[in-house]
Amino acid sequence: MTLKKFVYLLAFGILALAAMPVMASVQTGHAAPDFTGTDVNGETIKLSDYKGQKVILEWTNHQCPFVVKHYDSGNMQKTQKAATDQGVVWLTITSSAEGKQGYTTPAEAKAIMEETGSHATTRILDPSGEIGHMYGAKTTPHMYIIDEDGTLVYQGAIDSNSSPRQSAIAGAKNYVLAALDELNAGHPVTDATTAPYGCAVKY
Amino acid sequence: MVFAPHSMAQEKAQEPEQYVKVRLLSERSAVGPGQDIWIGIEQSIHPGWHTYWRNPGDSGSAPRVDWTLPDDWKISDIHWPAPEKIPYDPLLNYGYSGNVILLQKLTTPPIMKGGPVTLTADFEVLVCKEICIPEFGTYTLTLNDPENMNENNEAYLASAREKLPVPSTVSAVFSERDGTLEVRLSEWPEDIAAETLELFPLEWGLIENTAPLQTRMDNGALILSQDRADRPLNDIKQTDFVITGKGADGNRHAYQITASAEGTPAPGTESSPLPALLGALFFALLGGMILNLMPCVFPVLSLKALSLSKNANKKDQTPARRSGLAYTAGVVLSFLAIAGILIALKAAGAQIGWGFQLQNPVVVSLLAYLLFIIGLNLSGLFEISGHFGNVGNKLTQGTDITASFFSGVLATIVATPCTAPFMAAALGYALTQPAYISLLIFAVLGLGLALPYLALSYTPSLGKMLPKPGKWMETFRQLLAFPMFASAAWLVWVVSQQTGSMGMLGVLMGLVLIAFAFWLIQHQPKDSNRKILVLVLAALTFLTAFALLPKDTVAVKQQHEISFGEPFSHAALNEYLQGDDPVFVEMTAAWCITCKANHKIAIDIPQTRQIFAEKNVKYLVGDWTNQDPNITEYLNTFDRNGVPLYVYYGPRDDVTKKRPQPNVLPQLLTPGIVKDRIK
């Protein structure tokens, strides 16, 4: 091939490589990207499986002090129960890479779910970080709410006070519960995009 | 008792108990009533670890402090030193490593108890490396303790204050363009290397923290752009950014700017109240009506009024009324068209304001030609017969709808150079508002301009009061040519200011050629061959007149009568504002008659010169005759979009060390007003 063509191919190749681990982001109000993941029971889970139901994604890392804040206090489990009682599908996701904080084997993850009394529908293990990158998940916890039509209607923090103290939960606004209330009443979500807080996801 | 730090030697052996050592420091240990002292929360961060800035970035959490103070003692918010970027692929945080001091200003009440005073701070800080650890502590600081009066951290805290971003008065706007957030700064210190610039927003979610920052210059303005993140911008009217960069001295410099959303009024610092929509509409209406008195517009109005008097006695007033409505429609639609063009240009990013059309010498020359042509027609040099109608006749006699509509359009065009004083406030407000409000204000302005004629057309009795038509009308019509010529002459002078004497010569020759061309048309021979020849010659003469239009503006600033004072620039303004002396800013333009009048009557007079000298007033004059985006942005800061603008910054108060709010003077100045404002 001619030199020119070679150079172009090379350039494309380099660009393609450079584009590899790109953090996407989803705008609230737009379609939530479909993903495929494996849960702690080895089952394949697809977002599109749940079309017609609301889905909540919760990024977690059981060793992150902010996740501990919400689990030790029972706040996360309480929110999970309130949602799943309404028929919402709750997917907890771990995107920690192997060897990094928060990484769990399926057995470990199941144990954590039992110990903490999680009310999540199931837990997806995403050590490659693919689903995390797809959604631009930055922190643990980081919450996303997807409605029955597959539109992202909320992304951000679980509540309005980013302090690591458990005492901060009582006075804070739980954005997830508030959003569910508004959606059930047929209103648009007021705080549809909030600042997520927590430890960085350990990709 | 100051919390005693661990010695670093202990940590080499094992993982430290705490990754951040916190110390509370005060400038000095003794403080009296009614005083301010600096308090520092010093964080000594374990190597390799970091804590966070007020906006932590993609993850993490800013430290918090909760003070318990004695009654009536007050403490300011935290003053944050300029942060660093801390990447953690694929994320990025903003924070600190090593040693960092968060500063707060403590204020004691005017009446204070004697004896030691203990202040308590609950401090929570998140410190991270790979993992994050929240650390909590309660620390105390005791002042006025007779056993411990030797604390002196003044120098240490002073050097910590140097790391704080310097507040900048540079006017800035932010907007979203092509998926990026653009921050446009009207000025920037030239010695900061552009490739070292970093942008730190105080608010979350505005930009992708990991994306690279693009910088470019545009006419002296610095534009920073970085990919947008997901937080919607529509609720944010104003937000701060910290901008850092390396200076010529090799050191990192940090500034804090306040940027307003494009299209909204900038931080309001006016002392006169901003006109609400109704106020702006009222001034627009009033301004429009006053425009009728301007020499450019007056002839049009008076001739149209006289045309009504011809019909005053007729039974059927419908043609008169229709004429009034058609004229009003012509005026209002023309104003809407102008507003539409201005809004479109603003949306396309042009830094324009009212009067911008007069910043382009081609436009000014064309307006001069137009006014001159109308004057020639009024004075009887030519009559345009046939298809195009007779402008003069139509003005005096025509009440038909098309003629009235177009005379409305004409009235608008000739009105634009004559900006009445009231219009500046309304139009300044108008062009910073959303499009529909701008259009409404311009429409009301047009209504004001058309109102007198509309009223006349509906009130035949008023028409009866006008003198009866007669031979004198011809003479009167010729008389009205002179205000037109006068306006044209003034516009030629404006061109001379913009393009120098050569440009002015071009326009003057153009005027001569136009007069000649019209004379040729008027005297075209009956013989068809020669007629064509003459008409072609006339056409060529016209074209030459247009070819002579001066296009290049010349920096003729030296020719302007800046009799005293110095040229305005953001750098000069900032420099003077950092000092203690009062500052007087005047924004003017060669084509602005009100500005010139104010200057001659109230500023360039012995009394004011003396006051300026006595009070050491720094006097800055900004010339907006030609396009100057710096001045446009300064005008925007005060909610204005046209000149004149007079702003007085009072001197720095000795006790509070603060300047009073900037004081905007009225559009019409008298020596008394100037004297009063500069108390």
Side-chain angles (χ1 to χ4, degrees), chain B residues 85 175 177-185 188 193-200 207-218 221-228 243-244:
Chain B
K85 289 195 185 190
S175 58
R177 239 171 221 119
D178 299 329
T180 70
L181 181 78
E182 268 197 9
V183 180
R184 189 196 174 98
L185 303 154
W188 195 249
E195 61 278 7
T196 64
L197 285 169
E198 290 183 318
L199 183 70
F200 298 91
I207 54 172
E208 281 299 338
N209 299 319
T210 48
L213 178 69
Q214 315 283 350
T215 65
R216 67 179 200 274
M217 299 294 291
D218 176 27
L222 174 68
I223 302 180
L224 304 170
S225 65
Q226 192 159 335
D227 285 346
R228 274 274 290 132
I243 301 177
T244 66

Side-chain angles (χ1 to χ4, degrees), chain B residues 14-35:
Chain B
Q14 74 224 35
E15 282 307 306
E17 256 175 51
Q18 272 183 301
Y19 285 89
V20 186
K21 298 287 180 293
V22 178
R23 265 202 313 167
L24 287 187
L25 303 167
S26 69
E27 264 188 290
R28 48 185 195 276
S29 29
V31 63
Q35 285 185 351

